[in-house]
Amino acid sequence: RAAEWQLDQPAWSGRLRITAKGSTAFIKLEDKTSGELFAQAPVEQFPGIAVEGVTDSSRYFVIRIEDGNGRRAFIGVGFVDRGDAFDFNVALQDHFKWVRQQSELAQQAQDLEQGPKLDLGFKEGQTIKLNIANMKKKEGGTGSTRPRPAGPGGLSLLPPPPGGKSSSGERAAPLSTPAQLPGTPITDSLLSWPQPTAAPAADVWGDFAKASG
């Protein structure tokens, strides 16, 4: 009980810090001016015998201090402000919560290493089928038409329309005279439309007719 202590005349007053090394937390009592260490209490488990709360107050605790040579002593410590006592509790709880999490992660990793390992390799004769979309080449498509053969000079030659009619329905007039572009001399031999040959004379086959008679 904290009421049995001499709270109005404490044996020592100073600063309390909590540090950690590995899984062990250390409660350090230090001089508030120089920072000189007065005593420290290693805590390996919380709640545990190293730190215990009193029954009649939430601001006072009993801690077990050690000097490093095997000597131990139990002393009572208290905080003037209740918020500082709350932070003292939370700091110790957070540290040992982290210790438990690290231990669980290490145990899970060890279980995975000791457990059966999955064999993801291909067995002899085993195959795998991959279905990749848009990889088949279309055959017989309309977009693979052959280009028209080009005439002399790289121009395409189209056959004349049947009946001598143009695409607009008008009849094409015969070219009696050669066409000529403005400023370009064109001779009759270049653009002259071929004229029909004269009909053969009636007596071309005369000799053969006389021979047969």
Side-chain angles (χ1 to χ4, degrees):
R1 291 176 58 87
E4 300 176 357
W5 302 347
Q6 298 177 359
L7 300 179
D8 54 345
Q9 297 178 355
W12 179 88
S13 61
R15 179 179 64 188
L16 184 146
R17 289 196 309 133
I18 298 178
T19 63
K21 183 177 180 181
S23 60
T24 303
F26 295 89
I27 301 174
K28 295 187 175 184
L29 304 178
E30 300 173 344
D31 186 271
K32 59 184 177 181
T33 304
S34 64
E36 182 182 359
L37 181 65
F38 172 74
Q40 71 175 3
V43 184
E44 298 179 354
Q45 184 179 357
F46 182 80
I49 194 175
V51 181
E52 294 181 287
V54 299
T55 59
D56 58 344
S57 177
S58 61
R59 296 187 292 120
Y60 294 89
F61 303 88
V62 176
I63 64 175
R64 185 181 63 184
I65 61 175
E66 299 181 6
D67 63 354
N69 296 323
R71 295 185 302 177
R72 298 176 178 178
F74 289 91
I75 63 173
V77 296
F79 298 90
V80 177
D81 186 84
R82 196 177 301 275
D84 293 337
F86 177 79
D87 292 342
F88 174 77
N89 261 316
V90 171
L92 291 174
Q93 290 173 3
D94 288 347
H95 170 73
F96 287 99
K97 180 180 179 181
W98 174 81
V99 170
R100 287 192 299 269
Q101 290 176 349
Q102 295 298 315
S103 178
E104 291 173 359
L105 292 176
Q107 183 64 36
Q108 291 177 3
Q110 184 177 2
D111 293 341
L112 290 176
E113 292 179 357
Q114 295 179 354
K117 296 182 179 179
L118 296 177
D119 186 8
L120 301 179
F122 284 100
K123 306 297 187 296
E124 184 177 358
Q126 185 178 5
T127 60
I128 185 172
K129 183 179 180 181
L130 298 179
N131 187 10
I132 303 177
N134 299 327
M135 291 298 291
K136 294 183 178 180
K137 184 178 181 181
K138 294 183 179 181
E139 297 180 357
T142 58
S144 60
T145 57
R146 294 182 178 179
R148 297 178 180 269
L155 299 178
S156 298
L157 300 178
L158 299 178
K165 294 183 179 180
S166 62
S167 58
S168 60
E170 298 179 355
R171 183 181 300 274
L175 295 178
S176 59
T177 58
Q180 183 174 355
L181 297 178
T184 306
I186 302 177
T187 60
D188 293 345
S189 61
L190 293 178
L191 294 179
S192 297
W193 193 264
Q195 299 296 328
T197 57
D203 57 349
V204 174
W205 302 99
D207 295 338
F208 292 97
K210 293 178 180 180
S212 60

